[in-house]
Coordinates of all heavy atoms in Angstrom, one line a residue:
I1 N -24.7 34.0 -62.1 CA -24.0 34.5 -60.9 C -24.2 33.6 -59.7 O -23.2 33.4 -58.9 CB -24.3 36.0 -60.6 CG1 -23.3 36.5 -59.5 CG2 -25.7 36.1 -60.1 CD1 -21.9 36.8 -60.1
E2 N -25.4 33.0 -59.6 CA -25.6 32.1 -58.5 C -24.7 30.9 -58.6 O -24.2 30.4 -57.5 CB -27.1 31.7 -58.4 CG -27.4 30.7 -57.3 CD -28.8 30.2 -57.4 OE1 -29.6 30.7 -58.2 OE2 -29.1 29.3 -56.6
H3 N -24.6 30.3 -59.8 CA -23.7 29.1 -59.9 C -22.3 29.5 -59.6 O -21.6 28.7 -59.0 CB -23.9 28.6 -61.3 CG -25.2 27.9 -61.6 ND1 -26.3 28.5 -62.0 CD2 -25.5 26.6 -61.3 CE1 -27.3 27.7 -62.1 NE2 -26.8 26.5 -61.7
L4 N -21.8 30.7 -60.1 CA -20.5 31.1 -59.8 C -20.2 31.2 -58.3 O -19.2 30.8 -57.8 CB -20.1 32.4 -60.5 CG -20.0 32.3 -62.0 CD1 -19.9 33.7 -62.7 CD2 -18.9 31.4 -62.4
L5 N -21.2 31.9 -57.6 CA -21.0 32.1 -56.2 C -21.1 30.8 -55.4 O -20.4 30.6 -54.5 CB -22.1 33.0 -55.7 CG -22.0 34.5 -56.1 CD1 -23.2 35.3 -55.7 CD2 -20.7 35.1 -55.5
R6 N -22.0 29.9 -55.9 CA -22.1 28.6 -55.2 C -20.7 27.8 -55.4 O -20.2 27.2 -54.4 CB -23.2 27.8 -55.8 CG -23.4 26.4 -55.0 CD -24.6 25.6 -55.6 NE -25.8 26.4 -55.5 CZ -26.6 26.4 -54.4 NH1 -26.3 25.8 -53.4 NH2 -27.7 27.1 -54.5
G7 N -20.2 27.8 -56.6 CA -18.9 27.2 -56.8 C -17.8 27.7 -56.0 O -17.0 27.0 -55.4
G8 N -17.7 29.1 -55.9 CA -16.7 29.7 -55.1 C -16.9 29.4 -53.6 O -15.9 29.2 -52.9
S9 N -18.1 29.4 -53.2 CA -18.4 29.0 -51.8 C -18.0 27.6 -51.5 O -17.4 27.3 -50.4 CB -19.9 29.3 -51.5 OG -20.2 29.0 -50.1
V10 N -18.3 26.7 -52.3 CA -17.9 25.3 -52.1 C -16.4 25.2 -52.1 O -15.9 24.5 -51.2 CB -18.5 24.4 -53.2 CG1 -17.9 23.0 -53.2 CG2 -20.0 24.3 -53.1
A11 N -15.7 25.8 -53.0 CA -14.3 25.8 -52.9 C -13.7 26.4 -51.6 O -12.8 25.8 -51.0 CB -13.7 26.6 -54.1
A12 N -14.3 27.5 -51.2 CA -13.9 28.1 -49.9 C -14.1 27.2 -48.7 O -13.2 27.1 -47.8 CB -14.6 29.4 -49.7
W13 N -15.2 26.5 -48.7 CA -15.5 25.6 -47.6 C -14.5 24.4 -47.6 O -14.1 23.8 -46.6 CB -16.9 25.1 -47.5 CG -17.8 26.2 -47.0 CD1 -18.8 26.9 -47.6 CD2 -17.9 26.6 -45.6 NE1 -19.4 27.8 -46.7 CE2 -18.8 27.6 -45.5 CE3 -17.1 26.3 -44.4 CZ2 -19.1 28.3 -44.3 CZ3 -17.4 27.0 -43.3 CH2 -18.4 27.9 -43.2
I14 N -14.2 23.9 -48.8 CA -13.2 22.8 -49.0 C -11.9 23.2 -48.4 O -11.2 22.5 -47.7 CB -13.2 22.3 -50.4 CG1 -14.5 21.6 -50.7 CG2 -12.0 21.4 -50.6 CD1 -14.6 21.2 -52.2
I15 N -11.4 24.4 -48.8 CA -10.2 25.0 -48.2 C -10.2 25.0 -46.7 O -9.3 24.7 -46.0 CB -9.9 26.3 -48.9 CG1 -9.5 26.2 -50.3 CG2 -8.7 27.0 -48.1 CD1 -9.5 27.5 -51.1
C16 N -11.3 25.5 -46.2 CA -11.5 25.6 -44.7 C -11.4 24.2 -44.1 O -10.7 24.0 -43.1 CB -12.9 26.2 -44.4 SG -13.2 26.3 -42.7
I17 N -12.0 23.2 -44.7 CA -12.0 21.8 -44.2 C -10.5 21.3 -44.2 O -10.0 20.7 -43.2 CB -12.9 20.9 -44.9 CG1 -14.4 21.2 -44.6 CG2 -12.6 19.4 -44.7 CD1 -15.4 20.5 -45.4
A18 N -9.8 21.6 -45.3 CA -8.4 21.2 -45.4 C -7.6 21.8 -44.3 O -6.7 21.1 -43.8 CB -7.9 21.5 -46.8
C19 N -7.8 23.1 -44.0 CA -7.0 23.7 -43.0 C -7.3 23.2 -41.6 O -6.4 23.2 -40.7 CB -7.3 25.2 -43.1 SG -6.6 26.0 -44.6
L20 N -8.5 22.8 -41.4 CA -8.9 22.3 -40.1 C -8.6 20.8 -39.9 O -8.6 20.3 -38.7 CB -10.4 22.5 -39.9 CG -10.9 24.0 -39.8 CD1 -12.4 24.1 -39.9 CD2 -10.4 24.6 -38.5
L21 N -8.3 20.1 -40.9 CA -8.0 18.7 -40.8 C -6.9 18.3 -39.8 O -7.1 17.3 -39.1 CB -7.8 18.1 -42.2 CG -8.0 16.6 -42.4 CD1 -9.4 16.2 -41.9 CD2 -7.7 16.3 -43.8
P22 N -5.8 19.0 -39.7 CA -4.8 18.6 -38.8 C -5.3 18.6 -37.3 O -5.0 17.7 -36.5 CB -3.7 19.7 -38.9 CG -3.8 20.1 -40.3 CD -5.3 20.1 -40.6
A23 N -6.1 19.6 -37.0 CA -6.7 19.6 -35.6 C -7.6 18.4 -35.4 O -7.6 17.8 -34.3 CB -7.4 20.9 -35.4
V24 N -8.4 18.1 -36.4 CA -9.4 17.0 -36.3 C -8.6 15.7 -36.1 O -8.9 14.8 -35.3 CB -10.3 17.0 -37.5 CG1 -11.2 15.7 -37.5 CG2 -11.2 18.2 -37.4
L25 N -7.5 15.5 -36.9 CA -6.7 14.3 -36.8 C -6.1 14.2 -35.5 O -6.0 13.1 -34.9 CB -5.7 14.3 -38.0 CG -6.3 14.1 -39.4 CD1 -5.1 14.2 -40.4 CD2 -7.0 12.8 -39.5
R26 N -5.6 15.3 -34.9 CA -5.1 15.2 -33.5 C -6.1 14.7 -32.5 O -5.9 14.0 -31.6 CB -4.5 16.6 -33.1 CG -3.2 16.9 -33.7 CD -2.5 18.1 -33.0 NE -3.3 19.3 -33.1 CZ -3.2 20.2 -34.1 NH1 -2.3 20.0 -35.1 NH2 -4.0 21.3 -34.1
L27 N -7.4 15.2 -32.7 CA -8.4 14.8 -31.8 C -8.7 13.3 -32.0 O -9.0 12.6 -31.0 CB -9.7 15.6 -32.1 CG -9.7 17.1 -31.6 CD1 -10.9 17.8 -32.1 CD2 -9.7 17.1 -30.1
V28 N -8.8 12.8 -33.2 CA -9.1 11.4 -33.4 C -8.0 10.5 -32.8 O -8.3 9.5 -32.3 CB -9.2 11.2 -35.0 CG1 -9.2 9.7 -35.3 CG2 -10.4 11.9 -35.5
R29 N -6.7 11.0 -32.8 CA -5.6 10.2 -32.3 C -5.5 10.5 -30.8 O -4.5 10.1 -30.1 CB -4.3 10.6 -33.0 CG -4.3 10.1 -34.4 CD -2.9 10.3 -35.0 NE -2.3 11.6 -34.7 CZ -2.0 12.5 -35.6 NH1 -2.2 12.3 -36.9 NH2 -1.5 13.7 -35.2
F30 N -6.4 11.2 -30.2 CA -6.4 11.5 -28.7 C -5.2 12.3 -28.3 O -4.7 12.1 -27.2 CB -6.6 10.3 -27.9 CG -7.9 9.5 -28.1 CD1 -7.9 8.4 -28.8 CD2 -9.0 10.1 -27.6 CE1 -9.1 7.7 -29.0 CE2 -10.2 9.4 -27.8 CZ -10.3 8.2 -28.5
R31 N -4.7 13.2 -29.2 CA -3.5 14.0 -28.9 C -3.9 15.5 -29.1 O -3.1 16.3 -29.5 CB -2.4 13.6 -29.8 CG -1.9 12.2 -29.6 CD -0.8 11.9 -30.5 NE 0.0 10.8 -30.0 CZ 1.3 10.8 -29.7 NH1 2.0 11.9 -30.1 NH2 1.9 9.8 -29.2
G32 N -5.1 15.8 -28.8 CA -5.6 17.2 -29.1 C -5.0 18.2 -28.2 O -4.7 18.0 -27.1
R33 N -4.8 19.4 -28.8 CA -4.4 20.5 -28.0 C -5.6 21.2 -27.4 O -6.7 20.8 -27.6 CB -3.6 21.5 -28.9 CG -2.4 20.9 -29.5 CD -1.7 21.8 -30.5 NE -0.6 21.2 -31.2 CZ -0.1 21.6 -32.3 NH1 -0.6 22.8 -32.8 NH2 0.9 21.0 -32.9

C-alpha cells in the first residue's frame, strides 16, 4: 500500500506542477499577473 500511495502522490504532484506551469512561465517572461 505504501508503494501505491507513493505512486499516487507522485502523480498528483506532477499534475499540480503541470497546472502551475503557465503561471511560472509568465513569471519567467516577466509578464506575471
Side-chain angles (χ1 to χ4, degrees):
I1 189 75
E2 179 185 353
H3 287 91
L4 291 173
L5 290 173
R6 185 177 303 274
S9 183
V10 167
W13 282 112
I14 289 172
I15 291 169
C16 179
I17 288 171
C19 292
L20 292 167
L21 201 54
V24 171
L25 292 176
R26 283 192 299 269
L27 286 171
V28 169
R29 292 187 316 241
F30 298 104
R31 297 177 158 236
R33 298 177 187 162

